Amino acid sequence: MSDVMTGQPMALKGKPAVVREVAGVWVIEVPRFGPEGTHYHSYGQLTPYFKGLTEGRLLATRCVNPRCPIAKGAGELWLPPRADCPDCHQPMVWAEIEQPSGYIYSYTLVERGGTGLEIPCPYYQIDVKIEGVCTIVKSYLQGSGPIRIGDRVKAAFRTGPHATHTALDLYWVRA
Ligand SMILES: [Zn+2]
């Protein structure tokens, strides 16, 4: 039975990243290349984004600085989120995207992956245009068969025992 039929996230090849919380910030261990190759990576101020994914929530940021030359106090949502606005360098604020959906802006069928790729090939790498978000998100589609630019998709999440604590915890399925 396919992953799409069961509604479960597809099995990935890697192991979930080990995550520790230090002073409210997630620090992950990425042991992809064995113990000697483990490196430690802090999500810093973007921790709410990664934590949100594991809770089935998609969090973006927007600039609300009235003196921002571009946003003028009413910025659009950015994904992946930025801690600080690239235009005025002030902290951005978090906002949850309710029931995120969008359409396929472009796609690539990946038949062979590079070293460390955890998504089984072949798979579709997709760029998604989400309503209300000014950026285009690069992610992956769960499911096979022909797809077309413009196809509707909705967000899905790797939560609980399926969580990887990485950007892979957001994926998309056909709406
Ligand atoms: Zn700004």
Side-chain angles (χ1 to χ4, degrees):
M1 193 179 295
S2 76
D3 300 324
V4 171
M5 291 172 73
T6 63
Q8 295 289 310
M10 71 170 81
L12 300 179
K13 291 191 276 184
K15 291 181 182 163
V18 174
V19 64
R20 288 182 290 132
E21 191 162 324
V22 180
V25 167
W26 271 14
V27 178
I28 64 166
E29 286 178 33
V30 186
R32 285 198 177 105
F33 305 106
E36 308 81 38
T38 297
H39 71 268
Y40 299 89
H41 178 82
S42 168
Y43 288 141
Q45 295 180 64
L46 299 181
T47 294
Y49 173 74
F50 291 95
K51 202 182 270 190
L53 297 183
T54 65
E55 298 164 350
R57 303 166 65 217
L58 187 56
L59 299 174
T61 54
R62 71 165 86 239
C63 177
V64 296
N65 175 15
R67 291 155 79 174
C68 178
I70 304 298
K72 298 179 171 47
E76 295 177 281
L77 292 171
W78 285 65
L79 267 180
R82 275 73 167 169
D84 297 319
C85 174
D87 301 311
C88 67
H89 312 293
Q90 295 301 304
M92 294 174 93
V93 299
W94 291 96
E96 181 172 355
I97 302 170
E98 303 285 344
Q99 299 179 331
S101 66
Y103 66 86
I104 295 175
Y105 185 82
S106 66
Y107 67 87
T108 301
L109 177 62
V110 180
E111 296 185 316
R112 293 188 195 88
T115 301
L117 178 70
E118 297 173 33
I119 305 170
C121 293
Y123 75 96
Y124 286 112
Q125 177 181 294
I126 59 173
D127 294 328
V128 182
K129 179 72 180 109
I130 307 168
E131 285 78 13
V133 176
C134 68
T135 50
I136 292 175
V137 176
K138 188 170 291 295
S139 186
Y140 63 105
L141 182 76
Q142 177 162 300
S144 56
I147 64 173
R148 298 168 64 114
I149 288 173
D151 280 358
R152 302 287 313 177
V153 291
K154 61 181 181 182
F157 303 91
R158 304 182 67 91
T159 60
H162 302 291
T164 65
H165 308 118
T166 71
L168 295 177
D169 289 342
L170 170 66
Y171 63 97
W172 298 80
V173 296
R174 289 180 174 82

